[in-house]
Amino acid sequence: MAADVVVVGAGIVGASIALQLARRGVGDVLLLDAAGPAAGMSGRSFRQVRTHYSNEVTTRLAHRGIEILRGWGEHVGVGDSGFEPVGYLLAVAGDQADGCAANVALGRSLGVRTELIPAERLHEVEPLLAADGLACGAWEPDSGLIDPVKVTLAATVAAQMSGARTLFGSPARALRAGRDRVTGVVTGDGDIHAGTVVLAVGPWAPRLLAGAGIDLGMRLHTLELSVLRRPPGVAGLTTAVTHAPSGLVARCDSGPFAVAVAYPAEAVEPELPQDAQVAADAEPRLRRALAAGLPALASAEVITTIAGVYDVTPDWHPMLGPWPGVDGLYLAVGFSGHGLKLAPAVGEAVADELAGRAPAIDISPLRPAAAPRPLRFAYGPGARA
């Protein structure tokens, strides 16, 4: 089998890239996945999208990504994104107030509708949020929630309608690589020859790249996501909110439910994505974070908890572009928890580059590199970037 471009990985990033490649007429495009659309981490996502970032490139990508997600029918025309305009609130303590203000100013300079809100007004946005110890918050009314499975499926179908082929249930075993060039993919069903391989496999990238002698320094971080049933008589969350001091991220959901994540102080790093497990301290950690940030939910019933992983690069930013010294390989990996919001715009930018065009958003600051890149961190290296 052969294709001009093989996109490996049919999560939200890979499907977005395949769609935009097909729409640009970049030859014969094949989307390859071990299982099917959104079968990996895209299907285990928290669903939240926001534009609050420390660097222009990620702010622009997120802003454009949400524009596409909000106007899915106009931009894609197949299915829908499940977008819910519930907004996003990031609440920080005094030690992070300057960084928060700088990120709000950056966003506003790039056309993002965002506002810096003092602590005494945070309850106007989210009444359940405890203001004790908080200095301010960044509020984004145009952000919200999406359905990543719907997005991935719709992008895949739209790619097929634009001429892309798909091959699901065929795991990529290795990259076909010579000394300085990748020429295709080895699968369980045989070799696929390709002029370009776009690797968009998230946390499965390190193993595939190791066989080609490439080490991105990527680590896997386990994260647990819990579905809660709020206590009787307690109002529901109205938005998606991060309570930075406790490491809590929570969002509204349908009916009496909410969804929450409590980041651990020390990351658990499984060797493989499938090794991720819910830690023994996951529920106690979550309840401590809820008591600090959303005390009305501290006694909520935990309905279920699942574990997934972030694919974390040394600087917590994705790697987009060729690996130095290796032809035929384009990386779109290491999204470090940012994939949902960035994916639609990354699809456009990557497809433009592979079509020989200059992207509307300059993604050169995210070029793959062996060492951390000169990127700004308002809150230190981490998932908020």
Side-chain angles (χ1 to χ4, degrees):
M1 184 182 294
D4 295 311
V5 182
V6 174
V7 180
V8 186
I12 194 169
V13 173
S16 297
I17 292 171
L19 167 60
Q20 298 300 335
L21 285 169
R23 288 193 167 175
R24 283 157 179 74
V26 185
D28 179 24
V29 177
L30 176 66
L31 178 61
L32 174 72
D33 196 271
M41 294 305 122
S42 294
R44 291 173 169 255
S45 165
F46 186 71
R47 293 186 56 204
Q48 173 222 316
V49 294
R50 45 88 174 177
T51 59
H52 188 92
Y53 280 103
S54 303
N55 292 277
E56 179 175 335
V57 60
T58 41
T59 305
R60 286 189 182 278
L61 287 170
H63 189 36
R64 173 59 178 164
I66 293 176
E67 179 182 23
I68 294 170
L69 292 164
R70 289 179 66 97
W72 190 261
E74 173 190 352
H75 294 288
V76 178
V78 176
D80 70 83
S81 67
F83 184 84
E84 300 176 41
V86 301
Y88 171 67
L89 175 65
L90 166 65
V92 302
D95 61 336
Q96 296 183 335
D98 288 346
C100 184
N103 283 9
V104 168
L106 172 64
R108 290 172 69 91
S109 75
L110 297 173
V112 175
R113 195 158 70 102
T114 182
E115 177 185 0
L116 189 70
I117 298 180
E120 60 270 20
R121 287 186 48 221
L122 291 174
H123 71 278
E124 298 173 12
V125 177
E126 179 46 70
L128 295 188
L129 182 66
D132 296 348
L134 298 177
C136 61
W139 168 238
E140 300 177 3
D142 296 333
S143 294
L145 309 175
I146 65 166
D147 186 327
V149 175
K150 281 186 175 181
V151 171
T152 307
L153 287 170
T156 299
V157 172
Q160 291 173 317
M161 293 172 65
S162 296
R165 293 183 292 140
T166 57
L167 179 59
F168 299 145
S170 185
R173 306 292 190 194
L175 299 176
R176 297 185 75 253
R179 186 172 57 184
D180 56 3
R181 183 170 185 84
V182 169
T183 59
V185 183
V186 178
T187 79
D189 299 311
D191 289 4
I192 302 173
H193 302 268
T196 301
V197 173
V198 178
L199 199 64
V201 290
W204 287 271
R207 284 263 171 139
L208 284 174
L209 291 169
I214 298 172
D215 181 6
L216 303 182
M218 188 185 298
R219 309 177 314 282
L220 306 186
H221 284 192
T222 298
L223 205 66
E224 298 101 348
L225 181 153
S226 296
V227 178
L228 311 177
R229 187 196 305 272
R230 64 178 184 268
V234 173
L237 284 166
T238 61
T239 186
V241 60
T242 295
H243 182 264
S246 66
L248 175 70
V249 185
R251 65 166 177 82
C252 52
D253 201 69
S254 59
F257 303 108
V259 179
V261 171
Y263 284 84
E266 296 292 332
V268 175
E269 300 186 5
E271 183 178 354
L272 297 171
Q274 54 268 35
D275 295 337
Q277 296 182 353
V278 175
D281 74 331
E283 184 171 336
R285 179 184 354 122
L286 175 60
R287 293 202 182 278
R288 289 193 298 270
L290 287 168
L294 298 169
L297 298 179
S299 62
E301 178 188 0
V302 176
I303 302 298
T304 188
T305 300
I306 62 171
V309 295
Y310 281 168
D311 51 337
V312 179
T313 61
D315 57 23
W316 283 84
H317 283 73
M319 294 192 179
L320 302 175
W323 183 254
V326 178
D327 293 332
L329 176 65
Y330 193 106
L331 301 178
V333 297
F335 279 80
S336 308
H338 311 304
L340 288 196
K341 358 17 194 171
L342 306 187
V346 164
E348 292 182 328
V350 170
D352 278 339
E353 290 201 331
L354 292 175
R357 309 175 187 174
I361 299 172
D362 177 15
I363 58 173
S364 61
L366 301 178
R367 289 287 181 252
R373 295 154 292 184
L375 296 161
R376 174 179 164 266
F377 292 92
Y379 310 108
R384 289 205 302 282

